[in-house]
Amino acid sequence: LTPLPPPSASSSFPTMALEQPKLFNKWTFDDVEVNDISLEDYIAVKPKFAVYLPHTQRRYQSKRFRKAQCPIVERLVVALMFSGRNTGKKILAVNVTRAAFELIHLNTGKNPIQVYVDAIINSGPREDSTRVGAAGIVRRQAVDVSPFRRVCQAIYLMSNGAREATFRNQKTFAECLADEIINAAKGSSNSYSIKQKDAIERVAKANR
């Protein structure tokens, strides 16, 4: 048997261009825009933060501000895992988020990641009040809210609103979460997070 000739450079395998990961292998991160310039650095949706599954298993809590690098959809998943009996059930939270994003797409016809980002921008309070005082005399003082806290607060309010809406209700958690995100993205007062944001800003305005 004669040995085969070595492969030439021209006969090498064709190189395929790597495409960007899509969330749940369905929703693209490429066309998602953050329309609030102050929140751009704290909402991780740029293509470099693209993931197939919002379950990266990194230790974002070990250093201050590191969770700003956490994919924004994963931050929603983590916020759903609260209230005792849901603690640590991340796969369940991922499945709820996946179902909610499907419902958002069916209702709006848009990329659910974009709808979710718009909901975060609308739901974070821009002004809050803090306790200032000493020697037993305490008063409240209005303060501006940092962009990072606005994102954290918005995610917390949305997940809390969905959890309260689904309790003792025939609607599933995914349906309530989808409704909450859609209403928040529209700025509708039917949204729990928008109501809470308005209440926080109203109290802050009174304490200026």
Side-chain angles (χ1 to χ4, degrees), residues 36 38-39 121 124-126 145-154:
D36 187 328
S38 64
L39 302 181
I121 292 169
R126 288 159 295 194
V145 179
S146 74
F148 190 43
R149 177 157 170 80
R150 276 180 64 193
V151 173
C152 298
Q153 191 92 328

Side-chain angles (χ1 to χ4, degrees), residues 97-168:
T97 306
R98 186 198 308 244
F101 275 29
E102 291 284 355
L103 291 168
I104 290 169
H105 177 67
L106 285 172
N107 284 350
T108 63
K110 296 179 186 171
N111 183 345
I113 306 174
Q114 182 66 62
V115 177
Y116 170 52
V117 168
D118 293 342
I120 289 175
I121 292 169
N122 290 343
S123 303
R126 288 159 295 194
E127 194 179 21
D128 202 346
S129 43
T130 185
R131 288 160 59 93
V132 175
I137 303 158
V138 176
R139 66 187 189 83
R140 297 183 75 100
Q141 171 66 41
V143 290
D144 293 335
V145 179
S146 74
F148 190 43
R149 177 157 170 80
R150 276 180 64 193
V151 173
C152 298
Q153 191 92 328
I155 293 168
Y156 168 77
L157 290 174
M158 279 192 283
S159 61
N160 230 27
R163 189 179 302 111
E164 286 184 19
T166 194
F167 193 64
R168 295 192 179 172

Side-chain angles (χ1 to χ4, degrees), residues 52-71:
Y52 287 110
L53 207 63
H55 196 317
T56 56
Q57 303 184 22
R58 294 196 187 129
R59 294 188 299 171
Y60 296 104
Q61 80 294 348
S62 56
K63 196 155 189 266
R64 193 178 180 200
F65 295 122
R66 189 180 287 168
K67 64 182 176 184
Q69 311 297 315
C70 179

